[in-house]
């Protein structure tokens, strides 16, 4: 047991696809989700398939769960007393950490900076305030670097997950997802995709997928042409850029031999970065995003949030005539959120309560 009372070794509800493929690799991992996530055909859109990362857990799913599986395991291995996340008010990563850490159990902390007030972000912020351990909501992003620095200083006892968990260890979770996809293609559950479409923010998921597909190719688990990964930018430059994605993909690829796997090379020609779906800023609602969300609703496909998945959904709708199977990476959790805690929300700072009110009226801004 460590000082927070965590079991050093948490039972794995599934085998991490990375470790299943390369058994000698040294990758820390706690199982938080139910894997493999399903792959489904969406025939109404033609040769379009869904990777149901949204349904990776009934507690809270989405792409950030795989990032957290390696990073939380690393925190436990370092005997950290508390795991911190940093992000925007509506951070999916912060919410996923809070809801899953309660089950481990593991103490958490969250530092959140302001963002565009939207219903999607407000839903998450209400859940974070209602269920978070220590939640610090900043009035301005200007003080964010100070908090980041303070948390880094406390790193000996408190584990810090950077925004998006965009470090090679976090991206290894998505390397595993690529190997899982390779297994599903071999099992005949989905044809080898020619295109993968997903939202890119911190770059963690996209970089991990690029490294994972390259690894799958290297270990002869992907004999088909490597798909083009269409990363749809949802955060501004320079947080998200082609250079940043490739940098993390290469760093993740270097991590693979360092942890006992083979050497892997990233092929930059497999990455396309799309910037035209971004709109006027991070979390700003776009018309194309709203239309994509409505289309997904009509087809009873997973819900698309206006910050991330709706923007990649809008791109998908533009790509449906591209030749070959298209695979949409469903990154936003579709798990119902636990009920709000009215007392905690009433005790939130006044500027947060007015931000939450504003968010409700910004549905079509
Ligand atoms: C729902 C959703 N989709 C996509 C992304 C982008 O993933 P990444 O930050 O790994 O690029 C995020 C990031 O938080 C997210 O929450």
């Amino acid at each position: 047991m460590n000082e927070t009372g965590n079991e050093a070794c948490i039972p794995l509800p599934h085998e991490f696809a990375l470790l299943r493929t390369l058994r000698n690799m040294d990758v820390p991992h706690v199982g938080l989700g139910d894997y493999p996530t399903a792959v489904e055909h969406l025939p109404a859109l033609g040769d379009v398939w869904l990777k149901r990362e949204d349904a990776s857990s009934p507690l809270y799913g989405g792409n950030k769960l795989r990032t957290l599986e390696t990073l939380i395991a690393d925190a436990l291995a370092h005997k950290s007393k508390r795991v911190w996340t940093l992000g925007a008010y509506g951070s999916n990563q912060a919410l996923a950490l809070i809801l899953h850490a309660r089950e481990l159990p593991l103490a958490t902390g969250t530092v959140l900076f302001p963002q565009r007030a939207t219903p999607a972000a407000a839903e998450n912020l209400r859940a974070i305030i209602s269920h978070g351990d220590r939640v610090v909501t900043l009035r301005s992003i200007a003080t964010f670097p100070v908090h980041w620095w303070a948390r880094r200083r406390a790193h000996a006892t408190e584990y810090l997950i950077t925004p998006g968990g965009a470090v090679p260890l976090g991206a290894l979770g998505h390397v595993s997802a690529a190997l899982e996809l390779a297994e599903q293609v071999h099992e005949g559950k989905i044809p080898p995709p020619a295109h993968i479409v997903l939202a890119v923010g911190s770059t963690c998921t996209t970089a991990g997928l690029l490294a994972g597909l390259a690894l799958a190719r290297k270990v002869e688990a992907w004999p088909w042409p490597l798909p083009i990964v269409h990363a749809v930018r949802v955060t501004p430059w320079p947080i998200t850029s082609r250079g940043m994605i490739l940098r993390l993909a290469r760093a993740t690829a270097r991590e693979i031999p360092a942890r006992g796997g083979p050497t892997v090379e990233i092929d930059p020609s497999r990455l396309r970065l799309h910037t035209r779906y971004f709109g006027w800023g991070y979390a700003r609602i776009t018309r194309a995003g709203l239309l994509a969300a409505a289309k997904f609703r009509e087809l009873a496909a997973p819900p698309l949030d206006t910050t991330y998945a709706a923007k990649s959904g809008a791109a998908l709708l533009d790509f449906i005539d591209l030749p070959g199977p298209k695979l949409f990476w469903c990154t936003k959790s579709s798990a119902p959120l636990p009920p709000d805690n009215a007392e905690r929300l009433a005790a939130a700072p006044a500027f947060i309560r007015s931000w939450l009110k504003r968010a409700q009226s910004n549905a079509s801004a």
Side-chain angles (χ1 to χ4, degrees), residues 4 32 35 76 87-88 98 134 138 157 161 170-171 175 187 284:
T4 51
L32 303 177
Y35 300 107
L76 294 175
I98 286 166
R134 280 181 63 183
L138 306 182
T157 52
I161 299 180
V175 169
E187 288 163 6
R284 295 290 291 247

Side-chain angles (χ1 to χ4, degrees), residues 60 62-64 67 90-93 163-166 174 198-207 234-235 240 282 305 307-309 312 329-333:
Y60 199 76
N63 58 328
K64 287 297 146 189
T67 309
S91 167
N92 289 307
Q93 177 167 285
H174 304 285
L198 80 163
V200 60
S202 74
T203 76
C204 181
T205 311
T206 304
V234 298
T235 45
T240 315
Y282 173 70
D305 70 305
T307 306
Y308 297 99
S312 50
W329 212 258
C330 302
T331 54
K332 171 65 180 174
S333 172

Side-chain angles (χ1 to χ4, degrees), residues 120-365:
E123 188 183 51
N124 278 12
L125 181 57
R126 280 199 308 273
I128 289 170
I129 293 172
S130 296
H131 305 285
D133 235 340
R134 280 181 63 183
V135 180
V136 182
T137 41
L138 306 182
R139 196 188 262 275
S140 154
I141 198 165
T143 55
F144 184 65
V146 179
H147 285 268
W148 188 332
W149 179 78
R151 300 271 67 89
R152 278 185 85 94
R153 283 199 56 187
H155 208 52
T157 52
E158 306 199 342
Y159 192 88
L160 174 67
I161 299 180
T162 51
V167 291
L169 188 56
L172 282 179
H174 304 285
V175 169
S176 196
L179 294 170
E180 183 181 296
L181 175 64
E183 290 168 2
Q184 290 172 316
V185 179
H186 279 285
E187 288 163 6
K189 293 189 171 147
I190 173 175
H195 304 274
I196 296 179
V197 182
L198 80 163
V200 60
S202 74
T203 76
C204 181
T205 311
T206 304
L209 284 182
L210 285 170
L213 289 165
L215 173 61
R217 178 55 152 258
K218 184 70 184 264
V219 298
E220 295 175 7
W222 197 281
W224 316 282
L226 278 181
I228 291 176
V229 176
H230 296 267
V232 180
R233 195 174 66 138
V234 298
T235 45
W237 186 92
I239 299 165
T240 315
S241 68
R242 188 178 164 78
M244 292 295 274
I245 299 171
L246 289 173
R247 204 166 93 166
L248 183 58
R250 290 188 178 115
T252 307
R254 285 195 297 277
E255 194 75 16
I256 294 169
R259 292 180 178 272
T263 53
V264 169
E265 280 221 3
I266 302 299
D267 177 355
S269 75
R270 299 297 85 194
L271 171 67
R272 299 260 199 296
L273 177 66
H274 299 271
T275 56
R276 59 180 280 236
Y277 301 93
F278 180 52
W280 290 104
Y282 173 70
R284 295 290 291 247
I285 296 169
T286 62
R287 194 176 142 66
L290 287 177
L291 289 173
K295 185 77 187 168
F296 266 54
R297 252 194 319 276
E298 178 195 318
L299 300 176
L304 303 183
D305 70 305
T306 52
T307 306
Y308 297 99
K311 291 181 179 177
S312 50
L316 173 77
L317 296 183
D318 281 351
F319 299 161
I320 48 181
D321 291 331
L322 290 177
K326 275 80 46 185
L327 177 60
F328 182 71
W329 212 258
C330 302
T331 54
K332 171 65 180 174
S333 172
S334 52
L337 291 180
D340 288 345
N341 180 324
E343 232 170 88
R344 281 194 174 199
L345 287 169
F351 69 91
I352 288 294
R353 282 182 278 122
S354 69
W355 184 93
L356 285 170
K357 245 190 230 146
R358 208 164 60 246
Q360 296 314 326
S361 54
N362 273 352
S364 54

